[in-house]
Amino acid sequence: MAPPERKSILLSFEKPLVELEARIAQIRELAEENDVDVSAQLRQLEARATHLRQEIFSNLTPAQRLQVARHPRRPSTLDYIQAITDDWLELHGDRGSGKDDPALVGGVARLEGRPVVILGHQKGRDTKDNVVRNFGMASPGGYRKAMRLMRHADRFSMPIITFIDTPGAYPGYEAEEMGQGEAIAYNLREMFGLTVPIVCTIIGEGGSGGALGIGVGDRLMMFEHSVYTVASPEACAAILWKDAGRSGEAAEALKITSWDLKQLGILDELLPEPVGGAHANPIQAADILKQALMEQITELSQLAPATLQQLRYQKYRQIGVFAEAA
Amino acid sequence: MSLFDWFANRRKSGPISEDRQEREIADGLWTKCEHCDVLTYTKDLRTNQWVCSDCGHHHRIFSDERIRQLIDANTWQPLDVHIQPQDPLKFKDRKGYGDRLRDTQAKTKLTDAVQTGLGTLDGLPVALGVMDFRFMGGSMGSVVGEKLTRMIERGTATSRPVIIVCASGGARMQEGMLSLMQMAKISGALQQHQAAKLLYMPVLTHPTTGGVTASFAMLGDIILAEPKATIGFAGRRVVEQTLREKLPDNFQTAEYLRDHGFVDAIVPRTQLKQTLAQLIRLHQPVAAPAVVDNHTPWANGLNAAEPTHIGVDL
């Protein structure tokens, strides 16, 4: 049975589904009280619910997908790390800024016996946790910690796995003062120079430069309902439409869904989600992720470091749409 | 015609277009400084590279003028002038992106927001990219990404220093994620240029923000900036909203970035060319002595055929 607080984080388009589920629960309760066998009807209703869920989630608009990607119960970086690794130790600190960034976590782990470095943005599970995690908006120190861990991986020939889930890099006073732009830029360039496989996955929200700051890799994977945006639809609407309220239109126009990115030649692998989204069945989502990671890493590990670097450059080199007249 | 009619007509004719304003600056005999209000003979202002001789205010200049100021006469070879922007997302906000591109091209006579090319700067071969703020706020889409990447690759292949004069609001939203990916693409090209031990110097001019700051603007071996230029990652308004308080006036200025260790030097426009040339020369290996002089006292006892350690094999 659903915990009571689930109602408060219900997405608007899930309403018919929840109504149906409530009816099922009601019938089951009544049947138990009156000792009537309604199992046939229940099975029918449950099948309808599954069908409805499938239908709703396969027809989501980009703005609705954004809601799923930002769902407070969507599995986070640390959730996935716990689910997929055999061994894991979080490592803190960028060795410079004098402050650890809880919005970007990372460490050493073992994935099916293979040592790897995993890092990613960390959102909070509730408001209090989100304040600590700064809503997954990393500071320059977070990006520098990420680079320090990636260098560590490079030194010990460990593949790098990054999980992206951020509304964007933190746009705060201190972040600017500490060189937010420089921290991200530095990672973009240096990730091209690393000699170990890098697999990046958008597990939730891929927000602009803050996502890209740990997002240059040999493979880019993305969960079905995740989004990846050049600017948040809200910001885009405020700038281009002069009306932040029109973010739905902006979400549509910006082409932010996994299918859009596949079409634009940016995404390598689209990971299907359990029906109802990753938050409906986190264990299954983690299995899908682990399977895909294992396949990618196994494949990439066979390449020589120089080949890896060269292919990584080629991957980004060909992104862009323009015409060239002779 | 009554005064009222005159106003009505004037309103009908619409606001003065950017085009006309520019022409007025170009043709006008006198130009008023937008900072100190002092009138300067336009010819003198141009000779002074559009820097007010009274208050030092740097008027905004565009790519053609910048190239003229930096590159030696008759040495500029533009690269990839035939690359044209497209509308891959069929993007439409208040106006279709395709129409916006056509209109901007007609108005600016530019194909997109950057000009790239090869040339000599004070006799030194360089690869140069100059962003142009007139073209949709200097925003970076596929064309800007591709032209800069090719220019950097050309610089790497010909062992030239790369200079990029930045002026941009960031990634171009109308091309969505393709724009964001240009940040990575250009940074990758710079990684190869760096691996070849070549010098890269961005020049940050007003304004340099967003995705440009979070990529090639901040990746210089040496980062120069024009006085008072706005340089930052997040927009000032966004930061103020996050913080819910007013920011100091100098926040995100070139001077602020220098004081916080993110810009190496602030260089007035009138000294930019000579400073760039000076820096390139300072990074050139010491030339091998043309003749080995056996008569100098320190050469005694040394085999002339062996290299001396005066930077010859750098």
Side-chain angles (χ1 to χ4, degrees), chain A residues 58-133:
Chain A
S58 57
N59 289 307
L60 296 180
T61 66
Q64 288 171 330
R65 255 175 235 289
L66 187 64
Q67 280 180 278
V68 179
R70 290 174 178 168
H71 198 287
R73 295 207 176 260
R74 194 167 172 84
S76 69
T77 292
L78 288 175
D79 292 333
Y80 282 125
I81 289 174
Q82 300 222 309
I84 67 172
T85 60
D86 318 324
D87 197 2
W88 151 258
L89 189 70
E90 185 177 347
L91 302 172
H92 295 271
D94 65 352
R95 305 288 192 267
S97 67
K99 206 155 102 183
D100 184 46
D101 184 4
L104 205 153
V105 299
V108 283
R110 202 179 283 279
L111 183 71
E112 288 285 323
R114 185 195 293 270
V116 292
V117 161
I118 309 183
L119 49 102
H121 305 100
Q122 183 62 39
K123 286 187 180 178
R125 285 180 185 82
D126 50 41
T127 313
K128 209 175 129 200
D129 197 15
N130 254 324
V131 170
V132 175
R133 299 290 182 185

Side-chain angles (χ1 to χ4, degrees), chain A residues 198-240:
Chain A
I198 308 171
V199 181
C200 310
T201 309
I202 320 278
I203 57 168
E205 199 180 0
S208 193
L212 192 61
I214 56 166
V216 176
D218 303 299
R219 295 284 187 275
L220 180 68
M221 309 200 296
M222 194 167 168
F223 268 115
E224 188 180 343
H225 298 306
S226 292
V227 295
Y228 199 176
T229 63
V230 62
S232 78
E234 292 83 357
C236 176
I239 297 166
L240 294 183

Side-chain angles (χ1 to χ4, degrees), chain B residues 26-40:
Chain B
D27 297 344
L29 214 51
W30 297 88
T31 303
K32 191 165 142 183
C33 176
E34 53 203 43
H35 186 250
C36 71
D37 286 350
V38 164
L39 279 177
T40 314

Side-chain angles (χ1 to χ4, degrees), chain A residues 144 169-173 176-182 184-186 188-190 192-193 208-210 212 216 220 228-231 235-236 239-242 246 250 253-256 261 264 266 309 313 316-326, chain B residues 80 82-86 88-89 91-94 142-143 146 149-150 153 171-185 187-192 194 213-215 218-219 232-234 238-239 242-243 247-248 251-252 256 260 262:
Chain A
R144 294 187 180 120
Y170 185 51
Y173 178 83
E176 290 290 312
E177 199 175 8
M178 300 285 291
Q180 188 69 284
E182 193 273 345
I184 293 171
Y186 187 80
L188 301 189
R189 183 183 66 200
E190 296 305 303
F192 279 101
S208 193
L212 192 61
V216 176
L220 180 68
Y228 199 176
T229 63
V230 62
C236 176
I239 297 166
L240 294 183
W241 279 267
K242 316 273 179 214
R246 295 175 75 174
L254 282 169
K255 305 281 183 240
I256 61 175
L261 278 139
L264 292 171
I266 294 168
Q309 279 177 322
Y313 183 62
Y316 288 87
R317 182 68 191 83
Q318 50 82 31
I319 299 177
V321 176
F322 51 86
E324 195 163 14
Chain B
D80 305 304
H82 300 298
I83 296 185
Q84 287 282 346
Q86 301 285 296
L89 309 189
F91 194 94
K92 194 166 183 302
D93 45 88
R94 290 176 304 163
S142 297
V143 172
E146 183 67 19
T149 301
R150 287 191 194 182
E153 286 177 337
R172 186 174 296 170
M173 284 183 270
Q174 288 87 345
E175 291 184 29
M177 282 298 295
L178 292 169
S179 299
L180 192 77
M181 290 295 145
Q182 303 309 311
M183 291 165 62
K185 183 161 109 179
S187 302
L190 285 173
Q191 194 272 333
Q192 297 192 341
Q194 186 193 51
T213 300
S215 59
M218 283 291 151
L219 289 177
F233 172 64
V238 180
V239 180
T242 313
L243 208 68
L247 295 163
F251 181 63
Q252 292 186 331
Y256 175 93
H260 285 84
F262 290 102

Side-chain angles (χ1 to χ4, degrees), chain A residues 285-298:
Chain A
D287 279 346
I288 293 166
L289 177 63
K290 184 176 182 177
Q291 195 64 39
L293 284 171
M294 289 305 301
E295 277 169 30
Q296 298 290 12
I297 287 174
T298 307

